[in-house]
Amino acid sequence: MIRTLIVDDISLARARLIRLLASEPDVTIVGEASTLEAALERANFGDVDLILLDIGLPDGSGLDLVQHLEELVPHIVFITAYSAHAVRAFETGALDYLLKPVDPDRLQLAMRRVRERLDGKVERTVRLAVQSGDRTVYLLPADIDYVDVAGHYVCIHVGKDTYLRRDSMASLAEALEPSGFLRIHRSSLVNVRRIAALRSARNQDALLELTDGMILRVSRQFRTQLEASLPRLP
């Protein structure tokens, strides 16, 4: 069972999450909390696998609570009415980030990611091995900016460095998706933490601007999935 603690200062919001999670047969609600203090006290029992955590709470930010929960709760999904904190939420190691009102399909996707993490599937890509001259370099997924294709190789871009790896884009996308990567084109994959802006282009395509100024094309085939994974305007 996925022992879940729901933290939100609005009782109706907590009740709605409980109703939505009722359709998940392997989820059991072990508690509710409306403040950071109460959440930490309940987490200290040591029987919580997952926290659905609101960011804006009366006694502080849920983002600041994470550092106290690392040894207590292995998995956190942020749930908030505001999109501005998305990047920082992922930087804290959160498994997912959902906007209120929570869409039932997005909640199901988040729970699927929780199950994958609990099953150990995410641990397959702790490091990505690439060849660099006579060295084998082991890359952390979090350090990768984006990936594209050159012939039979994938090009893995890390800052100013580019590494070649003989692999398929489909295989690499499957391996990196749990680490926060999204397919934006049949020949490219991006780390969502590097996304700075998205603007429309011709033929329903889009252009994605990264934090370092790099521009990548988003094909219309993958645009809907990308937009659904990014914070929405109010």
Side-chain angles (χ1 to χ4, degrees):
M1 298 296 289
I2 303 174
R3 298 167 298 179
T4 303
L5 172 63
I6 297 175
V7 182
D8 196 305
D9 61 323
I10 300 174
S11 59
L12 289 177
R14 298 196 304 270
R16 184 170 186 271
L17 283 173
I18 291 172
R19 287 197 302 273
L20 292 175
L21 289 170
S23 63
E24 306 284 345
D26 57 347
V27 173
T28 181
I29 307 299
V30 296
E32 301 177 44
S34 59
T35 65
L36 298 184
E37 182 181 1
L40 186 57
E41 181 180 351
R42 181 60 186 83
N44 271 310
F45 289 2
D47 62 346
V48 178
D49 301 311
L50 169 69
I51 289 187
L52 301 181
L53 179 60
D54 190 11
I55 288 180
L57 294 168
D59 54 345
S61 168
L63 292 166
D64 298 326
L65 180 65
V66 174
Q67 60 184 322
H68 301 292
L69 295 173
E70 290 178 351
E71 301 300 323
L72 298 171
V73 181
H75 311 299
I76 296 173
V77 172
F78 282 111
I79 299 180
T80 179
Y82 305 99
S83 62
H85 303 293
V87 173
R88 188 181 167 200
F90 281 116
E91 287 176 347
T92 66
L95 194 56
D96 210 336
Y97 181 99
L98 306 180
L99 289 176
K100 296 179 180 179
V102 174
D103 179 77
D105 291 337
R106 275 294 286 120
L107 180 59
Q108 286 184 354
L109 175 59
M111 295 308 301
R112 186 158 64 245
R113 289 173 175 167
V114 171
R115 292 184 187 94
E116 289 175 352
R117 180 72 64 86
L118 288 169
D119 290 342
K121 294 180 180 179
V122 174
E123 301 305 322
R124 293 176 302 173
T125 312
V126 175
R127 295 287 194 279
L128 199 65
V130 295
Q131 198 69 30
S132 179
D134 60 354
R135 299 187 306 147
T136 300
V137 178
Y138 300 97
L139 302 175
L140 281 168
D143 293 333
I144 299 170
D145 300 322
Y146 68 98
V147 181
D148 55 15
V149 172
H152 295 294
Y153 292 86
V154 291
C155 303
I156 301 170
H157 300 271
V158 181
K160 296 180 179 180
D161 298 321
T162 299
Y163 300 94
L164 296 181
R165 175 183 166 104
R166 194 172 181 87
D167 203 345
S168 71
M169 179 58 68
S171 174
L172 200 57
E174 181 179 358
L176 290 176
E177 191 272 343
S179 297
F181 283 74
L182 288 174
R183 193 86 174 263
I184 59 171
H185 194 278
R186 64 182 181 84
S187 60
S188 54
L189 180 71
V190 69
N191 184 342
V192 296
R193 296 169 180 81
R194 301 295 193 272
I195 296 175
L198 179 70
R199 61 177 185 262
S200 296
R202 296 179 179 178
N203 301 321
Q204 296 183 331
D205 286 0
L207 296 176
L208 194 65
E209 180 182 341
L210 305 189
T211 52
D212 63 357
M214 174 63 67
I215 302 295
L216 302 176
R217 181 167 292 278
V218 181
S219 72
R220 57 183 173 180
Q221 176 184 356
F222 295 99
R223 181 174 180 176
T224 300
Q225 178 186 359
L226 172 66
E227 290 179 333
S229 301
L230 294 174
R232 296 186 179 92
L233 292 171

